[in-house]
Amino acid sequence: MTTPRPTTNASLITNVRLADGRRVEVSIVDGRIAALGAALSREPGVPVEDGGDALLLPGFVEGHTHLDKTNWGLRWYRNEVGPKLTDRIENERRWRAESGHDAGAQSLALARAFLAAGTTRVRTHVDIDTDAGLRHLDGVLATRDTLRDVLDLQIVAFPQSGLLGRPGTDALLDRALGAGADVLGALDPALIDGDPVKSLDLTFALAERHRKPIDIHLHEPGEIGAFTLGLLLDRVAAHGMQGLVVVSHAFCLGALPERERDALLARLAELRVALLTTAPPSVPVPPLTACRAHGVTLFGGNDGIRDTWTPYGSPDMLERAMLIAMRYGLRRDDDLALAFDCVSGVAARACGFEAYGLQPGARADLVLVDADTLAHALVARPVRKLVVAHGRVVARDGALLAR
Amino acid sequence: MTTPRPTTNASLITNVRLADGRRVEVSIVDGRIAALGAALSREPGVPVEDGGDALLLPGFVEGHTHLDKTNWGLRWYRNEVGPKLTDRIENERRWRAESGHDAGAQSLALARAFLAAGTTRVRTHVDIDTDAGLRHLDGVLATRDTLRDVLDLQIVAFPQSGLLGRPGTDALLDRALGAGADVLGALDPALIDGDPVKSLDLTFALAERHRKPIDIHLHEPGEIGAFTLGLLLDRVAAHGMQGLVVVSHAFCLGALPERERDALLARLAELRVALLTTAPPSVPVPPLTACRAHGVTLFGGNDGIRDTWTPYGSPDMLERAMLIAMRYGLRRDDDLALAFDCVSGVAARACGFEAYGLQPGARADLVLVDADTLAHALVARPVRKLVVAHGRVVARDGALLAR
């Protein structure tokens, strides 16, 4: 008779609760959820982690940030910037030239903070411009490589200074997509580039050449934003890019007459174009209820975190979910769950992060918090008791473990 | 020769920084700031607290909350309430009758959490209605008494179910003002009471009889809110109550044509009527910039915290300041300081809390946090390293000391 050999890379988490109240155990094998249910069978020798009656959540998803820009962990950056978008762009380029900002070290510091707070998938926009070239991309690629066993980093090659204004930007984006960027970014084709048709045509041509998805930052308000969005949707259809385009911000959808807005929402749904919101409280946002009614995917993110643009933001995606819920005036527990979806399942689908969730077969990215319910977790944002990434414990009580 | 006797009840805090960057020490005598400056003289025997290079802030002010309603520290309350104001009022009255909610214990729990987070002055609205009578007031009065040496609790007698709809409410308010309530509350004279003139006349008569200030919750939107606000301002002038009235919420001022809005702001300034905002991101708010331009006082508060109305809110007033700053789209450091004013000096003046601030003679209510700057403190909301109330240390590292 031989003793059964314990499964390699297996572990068991006991004594946790799902958001629906069920008490479960989670069996993890080779970095994936093998089973989830009450009283799973225990193989001898498999390490057991007592969840201590914590609430079990899937690892969180950051749908839109700028890891390369952050001053996270550095001395406070005193913001004395003017109010216009171009003020902020110029200020940042000037400051970067002067400060010797290190996108590699900074992106790593913030990515680690995301991980400690339970986020295991991040879409980050990385500045590509004619001053910096691919320097920021190189830094973020290094961060991706460093954390490859615990964090999925999706990189958007983002022309922060515009695509048309500085000759050579398109060639840099082309190189960035060849060098490891996953997604092509874009920015205000009318109000920054001044030529929405030319800007969008160039963007779609680049994306098509590399067979990469698009994520466009569309801050353009009201009617001009609606016009640009219409041009964009024409090109999604023409290039067959259904399901491969995200429109970030889309402030215009929060400030249009209902009929015009609904016509755009219907087209967004038909072309499976998703919307990303940071849920800013001081500007219009895409309407959550109308998006859901039309079947338009709306997910969430921080945007920049403590950089020259903004003092705000946090690597805690429970806080972002709370801010989203507050922005949309949600109070009921079932409505707060929709806000959590924006930084978990819905965000994973919108960005194309695979094997996501709490079902068997999904990658074992798990978060344990001391909270009675999901709504409680959102508003209390408790310290993360345990974070599991790719099946292994990476953080306890809010702090990353030494590797 | 005699050794000088140390001053009774004296202490010294060294090694702290002001928001303007100056490094100072603070000498405290008999619960007040005796001196504040670089390298103060040290009397022998006076205990010295090393501030560890922390940022020194004045104790915070909560301008509008409902200590009596909160479920703070209890099991999570599952919110399944309908969307209307009356849904929430009815739901709460029903729930209170069923749950045996203890306003005394709950207000004490939340008040202690405020203190631990650095708030030493609180204006709380306490429900007075024909079901509960003065029961909630009695509970909050007990809390005020328990904490009288460390926390200023200003109590507003608040007709949460309306003044006119339930006969006998005015008599209860009359008794509440006689029993220790500091301020008379009021609620939507048109949309809840249905008779704005009668409701306001009754409110002002009651306030005049007791010589108490007024704090009215005005949720009425747009034009109806403007109409009610106009009626209110007429009565402030007629009753000579300049400087003694606060209008909480005042959503209407965020949604009027500029000319009409500015006419109301000019009257508010002239009559020294202050505005309180919780800075809700999903409804219009009084415009900060226009209020400042007209000389109208605007200050901040949470409203309810984790009760049957709302899952949100926090006893951390740095978080409220951050939410106010975000709501108004503030990004510059000097603008974030305005948001902090809303939960400190401006709130103290608006509520009539005396001896407030960091100048000699002010009561020694102090908060120390590890932050580079004031803006940093707002967005990072660090654990309170030290909280001093009435000259004595009441909390360290976020936890209240045993009394």
Side-chain angles (χ1 to χ4, degrees), chain A residues 79 312 319 330 333 372 381, chain B residues 79 312 319 330 333 381:
Chain A
N79 188 313
Y312 306 111
E319 180 154 305
L330 310 180
D333 281 52
D372 295 342
R381 296 152 280 152
Chain B
N79 188 312
Y312 306 111
E319 180 154 305
L330 310 180
D333 281 52
R381 297 151 280 153

Side-chain angles (χ1 to χ4, degrees), chain A residues 74-82 88 281-282 306 309-312 319 322-323 325-334 336 372-373 375-376 379-381, chain B residues 74-82 88 281-282 306 309-312 319 322-323 325-334 336 372-373 375-376 379-381:
Chain A
L74 301 181
R75 286 288 297 179
W76 183 250
Y77 172 79
R78 184 175 293 274
N79 188 313
E80 295 172 328
V81 188
R88 293 168 185 160
S282 60
R306 295 197 201 169
W309 291 68
T310 175
Y312 306 111
E319 180 154 305
M322 180 186 81
L323 294 172
M326 292 175 77
R327 180 63 181 90
Y328 288 110
L330 310 180
R331 298 189 183 206
R332 293 168 54 99
D333 281 52
D334 48 8
L336 265 63
D372 295 342
T373 66
H376 186 199
V379 304
R381 296 152 280 152
Chain B
L74 302 180
R75 286 287 297 178
W76 183 249
Y77 172 81
R78 184 174 293 275
N79 188 312
E80 294 172 329
V81 189
R88 292 168 186 162
S282 60
R306 294 196 202 171
W309 292 68
T310 176
Y312 306 111
E319 180 154 305
M322 181 187 79
L323 294 172
M326 291 174 78
R327 179 66 181 87
Y328 288 110
L330 310 180
R331 299 189 182 206
R332 293 167 54 99
D333 281 52
D334 49 8
L336 265 64
D372 294 342
T373 66
H376 186 200
V379 303
R381 297 151 280 153

Side-chain angles (χ1 to χ4, degrees), chain B residues 25-274:
Chain B
E25 302 184 344
V26 190
S27 157
I28 298 168
V29 178
D30 290 333
R32 303 230 165 205
I33 296 175
L36 185 144
L40 302 178
S41 65
R42 302 184 186 207
E43 282 195 72
V46 167
V48 175
E49 176 86 32
D50 182 346
D53 196 37
L55 183 68
L56 172 70
L57 300 172
F60 311 141
V61 181
E62 164 58 278
H64 183 126
T65 191
H66 294 263
L67 294 181
D68 61 325
K69 293 178 188 289
T70 189
N71 296 316
W72 189 259
L74 302 180
R75 286 287 297 178
W76 183 249
Y77 172 81
R78 184 174 293 275
N79 188 312
E80 294 172 329
V81 189
K84 296 198 304 290
L85 190 57
T86 46
D87 293 336
R88 292 168 186 162
I89 294 172
E90 292 304 320
N91 175 68
E92 180 179 52
R93 235 194 358 254
R94 197 167 52 236
W95 172 82
R96 275 187 176 166
E98 292 163 4
S99 71
H101 182 80
D102 181 345
Q106 286 310 112
S107 62
L108 182 59
L110 185 52
R112 287 170 55 86
F114 267 112
L115 192 62
T119 293
T120 54
R121 326 246 184 168
V122 173
R123 173 174 281 198
T124 188
H125 298 251
V126 176
D127 282 13
I128 308 291
D129 68 44
T130 50
D131 285 0
L134 303 191
R135 198 172 67 236
H136 304 134
L137 177 66
D138 292 340
V140 178
L141 284 168
T143 290
R144 174 158 79 182
D145 191 52
T146 303
L147 299 177
R148 66 184 177 281
D149 294 338
V150 285
L151 185 78
D152 285 5
L153 210 49
Q154 206 174 55
I155 297 176
V156 184
F158 175 54
Q160 174 72 79
S161 297
L163 177 57
L164 302 181
R166 306 179 143 244
T169 304
D170 57 338
L172 286 167
L173 291 170
D174 191 62
R175 280 175 52 205
L177 290 170
D182 306 290
V183 179
L184 176 60
L187 172 66
D188 293 348
L191 293 189
I192 292 287
D193 271 347
D195 187 340
V197 166
K198 187 175 176 188
S199 177
L200 285 167
D201 282 345
L202 194 49
T203 296
F204 276 82
L206 257 173
E208 189 162 67
R209 187 180 323 147
H210 290 272
R211 300 175 178 277
K212 298 277 166 117
I214 291 173
D215 190 331
I216 180 169
H217 298 218
L218 188 63
H219 309 91
E220 298 174 9
E223 298 297 348
I224 180 68
F227 173 72
T228 300
L229 187 52
L231 293 176
L232 174 104
L233 294 173
D234 294 345
R235 283 153 184 78
V236 173
H239 289 260
M241 285 191 66
Q242 291 86 343
L244 293 171
V245 176
V246 167
V247 179
S248 289
H249 310 311
F251 300 147
C252 62
L253 289 168
L256 292 174
E258 200 167 315
R259 196 162 143 181
E260 191 182 349
R261 179 198 78 188
D262 285 352
L264 283 167
L265 291 180
R267 289 192 74 198
L268 286 161
E270 186 199 337
L271 296 166
R272 288 178 283 123
V273 171

